[in-house]
Amino acid sequence: MFKILDRYIIKTFFGPFIFIFSVLFFIFIVNIVWVQLGQFMGKGLSSWQILKLLFYLGVSVISMVLPLTILLASIMAFGEFGERYELAAMKAAGISLTRVMFPLLGVTAIMAIMLYFFSNNIIPDFQRKAKNMLFNIAQTKPALNFTPGQFIDQIPGYMVKFDKITGENGENIEGVFIHKKATSYDNQRSIVAEKGRFVPAVNKNYLKLVLYNGYVYEDNFAGKNENVRLKQPDQSIKFDSLVSHFDVSDIINKAIEEEKITDDYRFQTFNQLNATIDKTKKDNDKFFTNVNNDVLNQTNSVISYMDTKQNRAKAKPKQLLKLDTLKTDKKLEVIKNAYNRLDNLKSTLDAKNSEIDPGIKYYSKVVIYQQRIITYSFTCIIFFLIGASLGSIIRKGGMGLPVIIAIVIFIIFYIINVGTENMAWSGKLNPYLAAWVPNMVLFPFGVWMTYKALTDSQLFDAEKYKAFFKPVMKLFVKNKEHERYQ
């Protein structure tokens, strides 16, 4: 009998689970599309390339989607059990709520373990593929950096505008305007063409552009006065075709720096992150030691300077000076120099503090990323305890009240998650603790909700709260009993 009941409970759970997971995954993917849309839409990428890139970027959201799906699916499943009086029938048959929750708790534990291995082994690989694909797009499709109809200054030394960009790889352009940025001592040059085409250059550091049917406007009066410019108009040259090369090495190097990162901590497994954390900690300790020595040396220098001047002043006491002679007194100069040294020390401290912050932030990021490989797996179990308990208490299935409750709980979890993360980045909270605080807050709540569900608590019974506040409400309501006999 129990095998049949367990299969039925699991089947009831996986019905909403699959639907909710699909919806939430789609919502998170749409969020990624909204953020990344301007980088690859309408610029020559094929639909397959876009879908492939979105898939690589979207795999990482599973670690957040799965706990939320478990929370919502468990609320809906146990809510349906309560709404159809199946929980009451199970309890009447001597089956406790703990026994009803047991098969789904096992399923959730299996999902949590799978999420750990997925986050540890698969997500880093897909993160690397997404970054490499973004780099390849930036390197082999320079037209991706242009937006039709807008002036773009990404090519060093030039301002360009293309009215239209077409072609499979965004190689065809129409309505070309190219203006060379120049000072008053350089020749001004502008190119206007009807259409053009990007052509692969032999040297990848250069962008080769072939233009058709246009004009080159240029003056040769760099550094000459205004009168000379007024006497002779600018030169214009008509061309049928014109080949131009633009140095885009800065763009490619920037793309390499931002996208092609082979040692990014997001590409590493849990054990590899341990080595990265140790290395980062040692580098930070070494940097902090150097900073302390520099600041300490400067502080000692200021103290020694002030002590020396003070001792000299005691050795050779001077007569009290009048106010009108203070401006020229040597003692004021000494004090001024001391204040200058203190200001320099303060500036040094501020500069060192700005150098320390990135090291602390990077260390916290690596630690939190590593710990979340584990913490999100525990979040799945905690969310199941909360969801199953709430579902059995509210006894309401469907997409109404369960969805609202699940969203509220997830928002609380997300706020705590982001808040502790920011505190760790700023050095106000230990990053290991910051990664576990959301679970530490929600776990007692899950245990308390499970206790309430096992004791058949009427936590969401409105009549119970009305009866509790009824004595207070009577104080503000006029007694109208026997009013018709008055």
Side-chain angles (χ1 to χ4, degrees):
M1 183 185 79
F2 284 111
K3 290 184 178 180
I4 298 175
L5 179 62
D6 292 343
R7 285 199 299 267
Y8 174 72
I9 293 173
I10 295 173
K11 180 181 177 181
T12 304
F13 173 79
F14 271 101
F17 177 88
I18 296 174
F19 171 74
I20 294 168
F21 183 86
S22 303
V23 172
L24 293 178
F25 186 78
F26 175 77
I27 292 174
F28 278 79
I29 287 293
V30 168
N31 181 57
I32 293 177
V33 171
W34 185 262
V35 174
Q36 303 286 342
L37 190 63
Q39 298 185 20
F40 48 78
M41 287 299 292
K43 298 177 181 178
L45 285 176
S46 65
S47 300
W48 168 247
Q49 289 173 324
I50 294 175
L51 291 175
K52 190 176 181 180
L53 180 58
L54 287 177
F55 177 73
Y56 287 156
L57 294 172
V59 166
S60 59
V61 306
I62 293 179
S63 58
M64 184 67 73
V65 170
L66 185 61
L68 180 58
T69 303
I70 291 175
L71 173 64
L72 188 52
S74 57
I75 293 177
M76 294 179 63
F78 279 84
E80 290 180 1
F81 289 152
E83 190 175 19
R84 297 196 296 258
Y85 297 100
E86 292 174 339
L87 278 179
M90 294 177 190
K91 292 178 181 179
I95 303 173
S96 65
L97 180 61
T98 305
R99 180 62 185 83
V100 177
M101 294 172 61
F102 184 77
L104 290 183
L105 182 61
V107 171
T108 303
I110 294 173
M111 288 184 180
I113 296 173
M114 291 175 61
L115 179 61
Y116 168 78
F117 286 105
F118 185 84
S119 301
N120 189 50
N121 301 313
I122 298 178
I123 289 181
D125 184 52
F126 277 79
Q127 290 271 22
R128 183 182 296 108
K129 289 180 179 179
K131 288 292 183 180
N132 287 332
M133 188 172 181
L134 286 172
F135 164 73
N136 292 332
I137 291 171
Q139 188 178 35
T140 62
K141 299 178 183 296
L144 285 175
N145 297 314
F146 304 128
T147 302
Q150 296 183 9
F151 283 96
I152 304 297
D153 60 353
Q154 291 182 342
I155 298 180
Y158 291 90
M159 180 76 72
V160 300
K161 182 175 79 72
F162 305 137
D163 291 340
K164 190 176 181 181
I165 300 176
T166 58
E168 182 179 355
N169 295 319
E171 69 276 10
N172 298 322
I173 54 178
E174 298 179 9
V176 181
F177 177 82
I178 302 174
H179 176 69
K180 180 182 178 182
K181 298 178 182 178
T183 64
S184 58
Y185 298 97
D186 296 328
N187 292 333
Q188 305 291 326
R189 186 183 186 189
S190 298
I191 302 175
V192 179
E194 181 180 336
K195 57 184 179 180
R197 179 181 178 85
F198 289 105
V199 179
V202 177
N203 190 340
K204 293 295 184 182
N205 289 326
Y206 287 87
L207 176 64
K208 185 177 180 180
L209 182 60
V210 181
L211 303 175
Y212 305 99
N213 301 329
Y215 291 86
V216 177
Y217 300 96
E218 186 174 7
D219 67 39
N220 296 316
F221 312 110
K224 298 180 180 180
N225 57 39
E226 188 68 22
N227 293 329
V228 177
R229 292 177 178 270
L230 293 175
K231 290 179 181 179
Q232 186 174 352
D234 296 339
Q235 295 181 1
S236 61
I237 303 173
K238 186 180 185 302
F239 63 85
D240 294 329
S241 64
L242 176 68
V243 178
S244 298
H245 288 80
F246 303 95
D247 186 0
V248 293
S249 58
D250 290 343
I251 299 176
I252 294 178
N253 291 335
K254 184 179 179 181
I256 292 174
E257 182 182 353
E258 293 181 350
E259 306 297 348
K260 194 176 182 181
I261 306 174
T262 57
D263 58 348
D264 192 286
Y265 64 90
R266 288 168 292 186
F267 303 162
Q268 300 175 357
T269 61
F270 188 91
N271 293 329
Q272 291 172 342
L273 286 169
N274 282 328
T276 303
I277 291 172
D278 292 339
K279 181 179 181 299
T280 304
K281 188 175 181 180
K282 290 179 181 178
D283 292 341
N284 286 346
D285 291 341
K286 184 178 180 181
F287 177 76
F288 294 155
T289 302
N290 294 333
V291 170
N292 289 335
N293 291 335
D294 292 342
V295 174
L296 185 61
N297 290 335
Q298 276 202 326
T299 304
N300 291 334
S301 176
V302 174
I303 294 173
S304 300
Y305 176 81
M306 296 179 70
D307 287 343
T308 302
K309 296 301 180 181
Q310 186 177 4
N311 292 332
R312 288 182 181 177
K314 290 181 178 179
K316 298 179 180 180
K318 293 184 178 181
Q319 186 179 0
L320 292 176
L321 301 174
K322 298 181 180 179
L323 291 176
D324 56 350
T325 62
L326 289 178
K327 294 183 179 179
T328 59
D329 189 71
K330 292 183 178 180
K331 191 173 181 179
L332 284 179
E333 184 178 353
V334 172
I335 296 175
K336 183 178 179 181
N337 291 334
Y339 274 117
N340 290 336
R341 288 174 178 262
L342 290 174
D343 288 338
N344 293 335
L345 178 60
K346 183 178 181 299
S347 300
T348 302
L349 290 173
D350 293 338
K352 295 299 182 182
N353 187 46
S354 63
E355 294 178 9
I356 291 173
D357 288 343
I360 295 175
K361 186 174 182 180
Y362 180 77
Y363 174 75
S364 299
K365 281 185 175 182
V366 177
V367 171
I368 291 175
Y369 182 83
Q370 182 204 42
Q371 295 301 307
R372 281 179 178 171
I373 296 177
I374 303 177
T375 57
Y376 282 160
S377 298
F378 281 96
T379 304
C380 294
I381 299 175
I382 295 172
F383 275 4
F384 169 75
L385 294 177
I386 295 174
S389 303
L390 282 174
S392 61
I393 292 174
I394 63 176
R395 298 183 180 89
K396 187 71 176 178
M399 297 293 293
L401 184 61
V403 174
I404 297 175
I405 296 175
I407 290 175
V408 171
I409 295 174
F410 182 77
I411 289 175
I412 295 173
F413 170 80
Y414 185 78
I415 291 174
I416 298 174
N417 209 18
V418 174
T420 53
E421 180 182 84
N422 292 332
M423 292 177 65
W425 288 359
S426 61
K428 298 178 181 178
L429 185 65
N430 185 289
Y432 287 96
L433 180 61
W436 286 93
V437 163
N439 286 347
M440 293 170 63
V441 172
L442 291 179
F443 180 71
F445 178 71
V447 173
W448 180 71
M449 290 301 303
T450 304
Y451 170 75
K452 287 293 184 180
L454 293 175
T455 56
D456 293 327
S457 173
Q458 298 179 348
L459 193 62
F460 293 93
D461 189 357
E463 297 298 328
K464 178 182 177 181
Y465 294 101
K466 288 182 180 179
F468 179 78
F469 289 104
K470 190 174 182 180
V472 180
M473 295 175 62
K474 284 184 177 180
L475 300 176
F476 301 95
V477 178
K478 183 178 179 180
N479 189 3
K480 297 184 178 181
E481 187 177 359
H482 306 300
E483 187 178 62
R484 59 177 177 171
Y485 298 107
Q486 294 179 358

